[in-house]
Amino acid sequence: MLSKEWAALKNGSDIRGVACEGIPGAVVNLTDPVVEAIATGFIRFLQNQYNMPATKLTIAIGHDSRLSAQRVKNACIRAITATGANIIDFGLCTTPAMFMSTIDESLNVFASVMLTASHLPFNRNGMKFFTREGGLEGNHITEILTYAQEGTLLTGSMPGMVKTFDYLSRYAEHIADIIQRETGLEKPFAGMKIAVDAGNGAGGFYAEKVLAPLGADISGSCFLEPDGHFPNHIPNPEDKDAMAAISKAVLDSRSDLGVIFDTDVDRAAIVDDKGREINKNKLIALISAVLLADRKGTIVTDSVTSTGLAEFITKDLGGVHHRFKRGYKNVINEAKRLNEAGTYCPLAIETSGHAALLENYFLDDGAYLVTKLLIKAVLMREEGRKLTELIENLKEPKLAAGQRLNLTGANFKEDGQQILNALEKAADASEKMTRELPNYEGVRVNMGDGWFLLRLSLHDPLMPLDIQCDTQASLDEIYAFLKEFLSAFDCIDLTALP
């Protein structure tokens, strides 16, 4: 069993930790010895999983703009080459590109490691692992950390070789080729002004190596330079300041569209020419409209999407909305399962901006998502139309709220499940409430002109609460019910409720 220290490094299907000082109280736990042990554990995992000797393995490694990137990368390279495996160092790269390198036959990359902690603060870093089958699952991360905890050394008779390669430029060419092919134009963005906000992460390449060469005016772009201090805003399409920054950039530069990426470019959002945000439910609706126009199918989303989105997908687009669980790996795996069972599902997407398309290996790729939207924008522009016309009928809730309610008991999973069981009974017994069915996570209840979802966190002692409605009266009614209902349980802290 993993010790508390090693288990703390697991973050779902990847690894996260504190990699450098700078925030009071945050103790560095992603030290060189720890990183080396994890990298060695990854090689052991590959050997066991695929029955491959280390000397036959070539591992690609890349990183985002974090301050600790070079140190962590050096530690990985030391450990991996010591096993006899070879390294291709991509330098600055994106998470989706690291996966794509594993299926690039010219490179002969067996697996890859991306060093990133997504949108987390500058002192954090992490490791994501890929094979040509995709990203690893949570149980694989546990296995790797178990090997790391055991500390068994793997030493080859000869150290592996290290070479460098600018894979991000090749990936940019791949994206540009798709745009030219699907638009039928050599310079599809000629006459268009597109602003990109990379948040000082790794996404600046999209403006400089994709949009500009294809004719776009990118002069309204901002924060393209990699800077691990993230001095301007959190590189996160869910962050209010980040979305305000790209909206301002579009309005100030009079751009036709704006694009924003997270640090490692596996998430994205856009804004229109009026600076209006297209993220969360709007983003899901927009890419669904693009994909379902070609072939009707099922869209898998996470559990907190709106009622209006469900109606839009089913009634306006003629598709099926499958609201599943939070977590990008959850929605991706569910979409894969549906396709394997014979249900056509072109998209798995979270409200956070993680979007994975069937046509793109179900890889959550912010650059590919934006590419699909921009291709559609070009085609509609030739007809004198705008991209946002596709979601004119989407109904958005007027009010949205949410809290994270701490569970205070020693057995938080049992306590949380007890609350959810009681909530189901209370909703079924009430004339004012109806439970949303089918439902795959927590308890989702329709009440008044809105809904609320109470669920149990997988790993932490808390219960996230999400609410959407159209009137303050409904919001007040939902909160009043929840405060009265939850006050019967001593194991939950209600101080976060207004």
Side-chain angles (χ1 to χ4, degrees):
M1 181 178 292
L2 287 176
S3 68
K4 182 179 179 180
E5 291 75 17
W6 287 102
L9 295 169
K10 182 180 177 182
N11 182 71
S13 57
D14 57 62
I15 284 166
R16 301 271 176 90
V18 179
C20 64
E21 297 178 347
I23 294 183
V27 178
V28 174
N29 60 357
L30 212 56
T31 61
D32 280 11
V34 168
V35 172
E36 291 173 10
I38 294 171
T40 302
F42 181 47
I43 299 300
R44 285 188 64 186
F45 166 79
L46 294 175
Q47 289 178 319
N48 293 345
Q49 191 85 358
Y50 299 97
N51 194 29
M52 290 277 287
T55 53
K56 297 290 185 180
L57 298 175
T58 296
I59 310 297
I61 188 166
H63 58 79
D64 63 21
S65 59
R66 293 185 172 273
L67 300 176
S68 57
Q70 192 64 45
R71 178 188 68 79
V72 175
K73 181 176 71 174
N74 290 343
C76 281
I77 291 174
R78 282 195 303 271
I80 290 172
T81 54
T83 70
N86 297 314
I87 286 280
I88 304 181
D89 180 0
F90 290 164
L92 185 72
C93 207
T94 71
T95 292
M98 294 307 298
F99 164 72
M100 293 299 291
S101 71
T102 66
I103 59 173
D104 188 328
E105 294 182 359
S106 67
L107 289 177
N108 195 33
V109 167
F110 191 84
S112 63
V113 183
M114 176 65 180
L115 307 178
T116 181
S118 187
H119 62 281
L120 294 182
F122 70 90
N123 68 324
R124 309 275 290 184
N125 211 332
M127 304 166 77
K128 293 185 177 182
F129 305 98
F130 296 94
T131 68
R132 63 189 57 194
E133 295 163 7
L136 299 191
E137 300 291 338
N139 62 307
H140 298 148
I141 300 302
T142 299
E143 183 178 343
I144 290 169
L145 287 172
T146 300
Y147 294 144
Q149 179 177 274
E150 292 171 357
T152 304
L153 295 176
L154 287 179
T155 305
S157 57
M158 291 283 290
M161 304 293 291
V162 180
K163 66 178 181 180
T164 60
F165 185 77
D166 177 14
Y167 190 74
L168 194 53
S169 291
R170 177 178 290 188
Y171 175 76
E173 292 174 2
H174 162 70
I175 291 292
D177 287 345
I178 292 172
I179 296 170
Q180 289 177 316
R181 182 173 66 250
E182 295 198 12
T183 60
L185 300 170
E186 184 178 353
K187 298 284 186 180
F189 301 126
M192 292 183 70
K193 199 168 190 178
I194 303 173
V196 174
D197 183 338
N200 301 112
F205 85 96
Y206 196 84
E208 298 164 343
K209 297 185 177 185
V210 177
L211 297 180
L214 295 184
D217 179 348
I218 60 168
S219 59
S221 298
C222 56
F223 316 139
L224 301 183
E225 306 80 12
D227 184 344
H229 291 96
F230 307 126
N232 295 291
H233 61 68
I234 298 170
N236 181 3
E238 288 188 289
D239 181 71
K240 290 182 179 180
D241 292 339
M243 293 307 297
I246 184 58
S247 295
K248 182 178 186 300
V250 167
L251 294 173
D252 289 349
S253 63
R254 297 184 179 180
S255 291
D256 299 297
L257 280 170
V259 175
I260 185 168
F261 296 113
D262 74 340
T263 320
D264 60 327
V265 197
D266 59 1
R267 294 188 295 131
I270 64 174
V271 300
D272 68 6
D273 59 339
K274 295 180 173 59
R276 294 177 297 193
E277 299 177 11
I278 303 174
N279 59 359
K280 301 179 181 178
N281 289 296
K282 288 182 180 179
L283 184 66
I284 298 172
L286 188 58
I287 186 60
S288 296
V290 171
L291 297 175
L292 295 182
D294 297 328
R295 179 182 173 186
K296 303 307 178 188
T298 297
I299 304 298
V300 178
T301 73
D302 60 356
S303 60
V304 298
T305 49
S306 68
T307 301
L309 175 66
E311 292 176 353
F312 179 76
I313 290 173
T314 55
K315 296 180 181 178
D316 290 83
L317 302 183
V320 175
H321 180 218
H322 184 66
R323 188 187 286 120
F324 197 55
K325 300 177 182 178
R326 291 280 280 176
Y328 71 95
K329 290 292 287 185
N330 287 330
V331 294
I332 290 172
N333 288 341
E334 179 68 358
K336 288 180 177 179
R337 184 191 68 79
L338 288 172
N339 279 289
E340 290 169 359
T343 298
Y344 173 64
C345 175
L347 175 67
I349 184 167
E350 264 202 313
T351 48
S352 65
H354 279 287
L357 278 65
L358 170 62
E359 66 186 61
N360 192 43
Y361 308 96
F362 270 126
L363 171 67
D364 50 320
D365 185 344
Y368 194 87
L369 168 67
V370 167
T371 293
K372 292 294 291 185
L373 297 177
L374 291 181
I375 289 169
K376 188 67 173 180
V378 169
L379 297 176
M380 292 182 69
R381 184 170 180 259
E382 293 181 336
E383 302 171 354
R385 302 170 61 206
K386 292 184 178 182
L387 185 64
T388 49
E389 292 178 27
L390 296 176
I391 56 173
E392 285 179 339
N393 293 334
L394 174 67
K395 297 176 183 177
E396 281 277 84
K398 294 181 174 61
L399 296 173
Q403 284 80 31
R404 294 160 70 85
L405 309 178
N406 292 321
L407 292 167
T408 57
N411 300 312
F412 73 89
K413 289 189 176 182
E414 293 179 9
D415 292 340
Q417 192 57 54
Q418 181 186 7
I419 291 172
L420 293 177
N421 293 342
L423 180 57
E424 286 184 352
K425 294 178 181 178
D428 290 342
S430 172
E431 295 182 355
K432 293 185 176 181
M433 294 182 286
T434 57
R435 273 197 299 138
E436 185 78 20
L437 296 172
N439 185 62
Y440 299 93
E441 183 174 43
V443 178
R444 181 167 172 141
V445 176
N446 299 311
M447 186 174 183
D449 57 28
W451 59 268
F452 69 86
L453 171 67
L454 185 67
R455 56 194 172 89
L456 176 62
S457 172
L458 281 178
H459 307 292
D460 302 313
L462 56 86
M463 300 191 77
L465 169 67
D466 294 277
I467 305 173
Q468 290 185 2
C469 54
D470 289 331
T471 62
Q472 186 64 43
S474 285
L475 184 62
D476 292 342
E477 185 180 20
I478 290 171
Y479 274 131
F481 163 74
L482 287 169
K483 291 180 83 168
E484 180 180 356
F485 169 77
L486 293 172
S487 63
F489 299 90
D490 296 332
C491 57
I492 190 167
D493 181 0
L494 304 183
T495 54
L497 291 179

